Amino acid sequence: MQVVYSPTHLAHDITVETFMGLPVPANEVAERAEKIRAALEADGGFRFQGPTDHGEPPITAVHDPGLVRFLEVAWSEVRRQGLDRSFLSADTYPNRQMFEGMSPDAVTRLAREPKHAAGRAGYWGLDSAAPLVAGTYVAARAAVDVALTAVDLVLGGATAAYGLCRPPGHHAARSMYGGYCFFNNAAIAAEAIVRATGEGVAILDVDYHHGNGTQQIFWRRGDVRYVSIHAHPDRAYPYFLGRADEVGEGDGAGENLNLPLRAGATNEDYLAAVDRAMEAILEVPGAVIVVSLGFDTYGLDPIGDFALTTAVYHEVGQRAAAAGRRLVILQEGGYHRPSLGENARAWLRGADGRAFDPLPAVGFGESGAVAG
Ligand code: Q9C
Ligand code: ZN
C-alpha cells in the first residue's frame, strides 16, 4: 500500500493541552505520527511518498474562508497583541445563550468575530483542547495535502492509499476547529472525490470519538453518506453530537448513521457495529470509501474506554476492504503511543489482504494479537 507522509506535521509541536481548565500533557503529539511511520517503514510492505501542494480551493470547498484566514494569522496575532503564551487557547466562547432573546438580525450584527486573539479563538474554536502554536497552520495545511495526495493515488487507480494525517481532522466543522483538529482532512478528501468523479462517496469513521465536523459538513448532502462508530456522547467528547437519532436533513435525510457504543465495548461489540456500518455503506453507490481511522478505540488508550485489541484492527481493515471499493484511509486519533505503530500495521495489512504478524521487538504483552 502507498503511504503519504509529510514531516511538516512536526511544526505543530504540542506539549500541553487543557482539560476542564487544568493544563495536562498533550495527547495529540508529534511522536504519534512518527511511531506510525517507523512501524510502517520497518514492515517493509509500504511505499512512502510526500504530498503534493493542492492549494486552498479544496479547503474552502468545505470550510469557511474566515476559518482559514484565522488559522493562518492566529499566531502572528498572538505575537502582535503581545500575548505572553506558548500556545493560543480561547478565553471566551460565544455560548448560544449569550444572545438569547435577540432577533436573528441582531445576532448576525452582534455575534461577529472579535479583535482579541483570545476571543477570536473562541469564535472559531470548539474547545480548549486544541492549542494553536506557531507551526499549526503549516502542519494543518500539510495534513490536507497528505489527504488529497492519497485521493490522487486512489483516483489514479490504486486500490487503497493511507494518508498519515497529523493534525487529525474529523472534529473540524465548516466554520470551526477543535478536538485537536483544524481542517477536516476526511471531509476535504470526500468532497474532492465527489467533484472529480461526480459519484457519491461514503465515509466510515472508526475513531473513538464522534466526527461531529464531518457530520456537520455533509448533514444536508445526499451524495456523501457518513457512518460513524464511536463512544456515546453521554460520556465522551464531543458531548453535544453523536447520538443515533441524528440522521441528516433535507437531501441528507437518512445519509447520516451514528452507532454509539457503551463503555468497555469489546472486539465482538465492535465487529457487530462494523458489519452494520458496512451494510449502510454498501446501500449507496460509489467506488470509493474514505476511512477516518482512529486507534483511540484501543484498550490501553489514555482517553478512550473501549477494550479493542490489535487483532481486531486487522479484521476491521479486512472487512472494510471486503466491500470491494477503493479506500482512502486517513489517520485521525489514537493516543497510546507504544501501540500506534502495530495497530496501524495490523489495520493496513488487513486492508491490503495481507496477514499480520506482530513485530516481536515492539510487542508489549497483549494476548490475541496474532491474526490471519
Ligand atoms: N481528557 C481526536 O481523537 N478532549 N480528537 C480530550 C481528554 C478532546 C479527540 C479530553 C478529545 C479530542 C481526533
Ligand atoms: Zn478520537
Side-chain angles (χ1 to χ4, degrees):
M1 186 182 305
Q2 295 265 18
V3 174
V4 189
Y5 165 86
S6 164
T8 306
H9 81 87
L10 295 166
H12 182 54
D13 183 15
I14 298 298
T15 54
V16 174
E17 65 181 65
T18 52
F19 179 57
M20 297 177 73
L22 285 181
V24 298
N27 289 297
E28 204 293 281
V29 293
E31 187 192 344
R32 297 178 53 247
E34 294 306 299
K35 286 281 192 203
I36 295 175
R37 178 175 67 82
L40 300 183
E41 279 177 359
D43 182 278
F46 296 92
R47 282 208 310 283
F48 280 70
Q49 70 169 80
T52 51
D53 183 1
H54 286 68
E56 196 173 298
I59 301 179
T60 49
V62 310
H63 286 296
D64 186 334
L67 173 67
V68 183
R69 289 290 77 75
F70 166 72
L71 293 173
E72 184 178 26
V73 303
W75 193 253
S76 56
E77 277 295 288
V78 168
R79 286 290 167 255
R80 199 182 61 81
Q81 296 184 8
L83 302 167
D84 181 24
R85 280 285 190 286
S86 57
F87 61 86
L88 173 63
S89 184
D91 179 45
T92 304
Y93 298 94
N95 187 307
R96 308 168 70 239
Q97 277 65 252
M98 190 173 192
F99 307 98
E100 190 174 355
M102 299 181 184
S103 67
D105 276 3
V107 174
T108 309
R109 202 155 29 82
L110 299 173
R112 282 181 319 216
E113 183 173 6
K115 298 272 181 255
H116 196 286
R120 290 184 78 178
Y123 181 82
W124 295 108
L126 169 62
D127 58 71
S128 62
L132 201 152
V133 297
T136 297
Y137 179 70
V138 289
R141 285 292 301 259
V144 169
D145 284 327
V146 164
L148 289 170
T149 304
V151 167
D152 292 341
L153 289 167
V154 162
L155 294 185
T159 313
Y162 171 62
L164 213 181
C165 297
R166 178 178 178 272
H170 74 153
H171 296 302
R174 193 184 98 82
S175 309
M176 184 183 81
Y177 73 96
Y180 315 150
C181 304
F182 298 90
F183 296 128
N184 194 319
N185 307 309
I188 292 166
E191 179 67 15
I193 295 165
V194 168
R195 292 189 185 202
T197 65
E199 279 186 5
V201 173
I203 302 174
L204 172 67
D205 190 331
V206 290
D207 186 273
Y208 169 82
H209 302 94
H210 176 245
N212 60 283
T214 315
Q215 169 173 302
Q216 183 274 327
I217 287 167
F218 297 116
W219 184 250
R220 290 178 181 274
R221 290 274 295 267
D223 51 356
V224 180
R225 176 167 284 199
Y226 176 68
V227 180
S228 177
I229 305 168
H230 51 263
H232 198 287
D234 280 354
R235 69 172 194 286
Y237 182 93
Y239 307 111
F240 297 95
L241 290 172
R243 296 182 168 78
D245 62 0
E246 297 159 20
V247 297
E249 291 182 82
D251 288 348
E255 299 300 325
N256 195 90
L257 177 62
N258 286 334
L259 301 169
L261 298 183
R262 61 173 180 87
T266 61
N267 288 350
E268 207 178 29
D269 299 333
Y270 201 82
L271 289 174
V274 167
D275 288 344
R276 277 191 65 190
M278 293 312 299
E279 220 171 277
I281 283 170
L282 286 171
E283 281 167 15
V284 292
V288 183
I289 302 171
V290 174
V291 180
S292 271
L293 178 58
F295 296 113
D296 32 12
T297 49
Y298 188 60
L300 297 176
D301 192 273
I303 69 175
D305 63 9
F306 290 174
L308 304 200
T309 66
T310 301
V312 88
Y313 295 122
H314 187 252
E315 180 64 29
V316 175
Q318 283 182 313
R319 292 192 191 187
R325 300 190 182 187
R326 286 179 281 164
L327 302 178
V328 173
I329 306 158
L330 304 176
Q331 190 60 46
E332 299 282 358
Y335 307 101
H336 180 254
R337 274 116 86 172
S339 66
L340 278 175
E342 280 298 87
N343 289 341
R345 279 183 64 235
W347 209 104
L348 298 171
R349 288 183 69 105
D352 253 351
R354 291 185 290 151
F356 172 68
D357 303 303
L359 290 178
V362 289
F364 40 90
E366 174 198 319
S367 62
V370 183

